[in-house]
Structure formats: structure tokens, C-alpha cells
Amino acid sequence: MTLLAARMGTLGTENAFRVGDDIARCVARGMDVVRLNIGEPDFDSAPHINEAAIAQIRAGNSHYTDPQGIPGLRAAVAAHVTRTRGIAADAGRVIITTGGKPSIGFTMQAYVDPGDEVIYPSPGFPIYESWVTYVGATPVPLPLRETSGFTFTAQDLAERITPRTKVIILCSPSNPTGGVLTREELVAIARVIRERCRPDVRVYSDEIYEHIVFDGAVHYSIAAEPGMAERTIIASGHSKGFAMTGWRLGWALLPTADEAQIFKQLNINSISCVPPFIQEAGRVALDSPESAPAVEHMVSAFQGRRDFVVSALNAIPGVTCQVPKGAFYVFPNIAGVCARLGIIAAYEQLSADARARTSPSRMLQGFLLERYGVATMDRNSFGRIGADGEHFLRLSIAASLERLREGIKRMQAAFGDSAAWTEYWDAVQAAAPPTPAPTPSPLARAQVPA
């Protein structure tokens, strides 16, 4: 009998947080690190939201509350969905969670049995793939291709739907690519789902970046398409649009009140409830007329940073970067840099076991951090299955323009410094301990369906 349950070998992680340990080691050595790794606005939550929470704490509103969420916030969420998506929503179908992640896990636990298939975007938020494998489902990555603006077509989805499909995950605007599904694309995608999926197949529509769209674009939800509200879980929250990452406040609108009660039961079994003073502040964020200008100011700043970063990256030899339409990330293709520095050649010389633990983009990520003090995220941090041969980095543009300028300046220098790369990689190889043959996990063994 082993110490840990076998299923722990199937649970992934979010490397944006794990890179924090590497950053800490660099800082301890005296390095100045430009942190472009984590998706967190550099803006603080707005004063009127902060004051609402403080007033609630002073009033003693710090006790247990309804595990589904306080009525006022659930009503505010329902009104927000009706206003922004144009669909009927009621508080009885809303669940309040500690951030946006719990509803991903709740969806997998509530609807998916071992052997069921879950379609999810790749590259995409890594917790999708993590939960799919953890519950014993079959992961079915839906590739987001650079050539199509990091979106997908209805036909792409149709080719992956089978009788075993149980959940389809969408994310628009997208983490990590910034791709945004248009209304026309969603119309076609909804048609495929209605025609090819049973009524009990659920769409998990991750809309956490709903407030952050650029160039006058409008956020659309698949739930607004005919016949889709009764199939769709709309998931969002306050972390990104209201710069409330540390508050840990998310929400989901379920297709039915009965399904919301299942999510409530999962809340009871995990967190009991979200603190009421945080929920009251979240209600103010949705209801107050002071919120819209604060959000618009932040989004305008992100758009300006996007414009600078994309232009600067495209000026670097070996880098191509598309213009994201939403969220606060850029996702440059660094294949040319990896080839020129010799990273791809070095990767191909590794043993099969070593290649399974890294990728060219991860090798470049390590070099950027350790030698030039720039923290980024590699392609495999956003879904490992089916990612072979894809060479991208994700940069968060939620840092200040000053730090972004410094980060790009360092990246430009690093991408032309083959001597430093060779020295770095020799040091990595010399320090690498002998590795025993790994025990393949279900994640490593997972096969991508044809």
C-alpha cells in the first residue's frame, strides 16, 4: 500500500504559481525579476468596493451564511447576466464560489464519470485538463491554432464530439491566447452542439474575462444562442474584471435550480460558504455606477500595453505575435528563437524520459528567468496533451508599462545571446541528478482521440 492515492498522479497544477518558487530563488540571489508570469491586474480593487467590505466587517457581518451565496449577490449576478447576455436568469440558479476555479471542479464532479469524454481548449487554462484527468475522464483537447487567431471552427468541434462526450469547455476571451469567439462563430458552434449532443451534455462557458475586450469588441456568450441556456453553465467572477484576485469571489449560473443545488452541496462539502462581507463587496461591484468607469480605465490601460508589447515582440527576429482581442495576455510564437539558439536541437538530444518532462519553450522559459530575470510561462503550462511541436510563451500584460518595457528589452537581448544560452544549458545538464524510470501516470498515458 502506498502513502498517496493513485489519483494524485493524475492531478495537474497551475505553473503560474509554481514558477513563484523559481522567482523567489532568483530574488534571493539578488536578481531583479520582471514578473510577466501570473494573470493578475496591477490595479487595486476600486475604493468603493473596498469600503463596502470594510463597512460590512465593522457591522459584524462576518458569520456563516447560505452556502449557495447571499440573496443580494445572487440577485445581482442574475441581473448582470440578463443585462449583458440578454437571457432570463434568476437567483435560484446562481452559486457563489471562492474564485473561479471551484466551478470547474464542481462541473467535473457533478456531471462526469470515468470514461466520459470532456472537450476543452488547448492551449487553455491548465485546470481544465487537470480536473478531466483527475476524475478519470478521457481528455479531448480542442486545438486553438495560431493560423485561425487562436479560435476554432464549428467543424473542429464537430470532429471531436462522440456518444461519450459529456462536457464541452469554452473560454472566451481566452487564457492564454487572448482569442475571442465572435457572435458568428458562436452561432455555428451552438448549432453543432444542438445537432450532435444529447440534451444532458453540458457546456462549461468560462467567461471570467468578460469585461476585458479590446477595440470596441463586445463579449458574447454561447448561452444567449437559441436552445443553449438550458445546456450551459456560465462561469465568471470578480478576479479579473474588478481586479479582485485575492478576494476569491466567483460565480456560476446553472441551467436549472436543481443543478445549482448540487453545486451548493459541493460548496458545503468543501468551503461551507464564501465570507459574507466579501459577497456584499461583490454585490456593490456589480451594482454600483462607480464600477464601470474603473473597469473601463483598467481595460484601456491593458489595450495600450497590448499595442506596445505586440509591436515590440514582432520587431524581434524569430518572434511572431498575434494581436489578442481580449484578456490581458500575449502568446508569441518563439519557434524561430528556439531554433536559432539551438534549443530545439538540445531538446531533441535529450532522452525520451527527459523530453517528457520538458519542452523547448519550457527550456527557453528557464533561460529567460535564470539568466535575464524575466518570468514567463511556457506552452505546456496550458495543456500538455497534444502540445508537442508547439513553441509559444505566454506573457501577462497586466504589469505596468514600465516593467513591460524592461521585460521586452531583456527578452530581446536574451534571444540574441547564444553564448549565455549554451552556458545556462550546460549548467542545467551538469546539475541534473540521475532520474529513475518514471511510473507512467494516466495523464502521461492519455491518448488524444482521432
Side-chain angles (χ1 to χ4, degrees), residues 252-272:
L253 176 72
L254 280 295
T256 67
D258 287 343
E259 290 167 83
Q261 289 302 302
I262 297 298
F263 276 47
K264 175 179 178 177
Q265 188 75 353
L266 289 165
N267 250 357
I268 292 170
N269 277 269
S270 55
I271 60 146
S272 295

Side-chain angles (χ1 to χ4, degrees), residues 92-117:
R93 295 191 285 126
V94 174
I95 184 78
I96 306 301
T97 58
T98 49
K101 286 179 181 175
S103 61
I104 303 171
F106 289 178
T107 297
M108 296 300 113
Q109 294 173 81
Y111 301 105
V112 180
D113 283 321
D116 288 344
E117 294 177 0

Side-chain angles (χ1 to χ4, degrees), residues 49-208:
I49 298 173
N50 299 339
E51 291 302 322
I54 292 168
Q56 291 294 322
I57 292 172
R58 286 177 172 158
N61 191 10
S62 58
H63 300 276
Y64 287 133
T65 188
D66 185 345
Q68 188 171 349
I70 63 173
L73 177 55
R74 288 191 285 118
V77 167
H80 168 71
V81 170
T82 298
R83 182 172 63 252
T84 57
R85 278 77 165 179
I87 61 176
D90 62 84
R93 295 191 285 126
V94 174
I95 184 78
I96 306 301
T97 58
T98 49
K101 286 179 181 175
S103 61
I104 303 171
F106 289 178
T107 297
M108 296 300 113
Q109 294 173 81
Y111 301 105
V112 180
D113 283 321
D116 288 344
E117 294 177 0
V118 177
I119 301 172
Y120 61 96
S122 182
F125 188 47
I127 304 306
Y128 304 150
E129 189 171 275
S130 175
W131 265 106
V132 172
T133 56
Y134 187 67
V135 299
T138 299
V140 184
L142 179 59
L144 306 181
R145 303 299 185 193
E146 182 182 25
T147 53
S148 58
F150 294 113
T151 60
F152 63 92
T153 67
Q155 182 60 32
D156 293 332
L157 177 60
E159 291 171 357
R160 288 162 176 81
I161 294 173
T162 77
R164 295 295 300 172
T165 300
K166 194 61 187 296
V167 170
I168 299 170
I169 299 177
L170 306 180
C171 181
S172 178
S174 164
N175 173 15
T177 70
V180 174
L181 291 167
T182 66
R183 176 71 182 276
E184 292 73 22
E185 288 168 330
L186 287 170
V187 167
I189 290 165
R191 183 183 304 115
V192 164
I193 293 172
R194 290 193 303 267
E195 292 175 352
R196 294 182 177 245
C197 294
R198 303 181 312 275
D200 64 350
V201 171
R202 288 291 172 260
V203 176
Y204 181 89
S205 185
D206 186 342
E207 303 179 19
I208 191 71

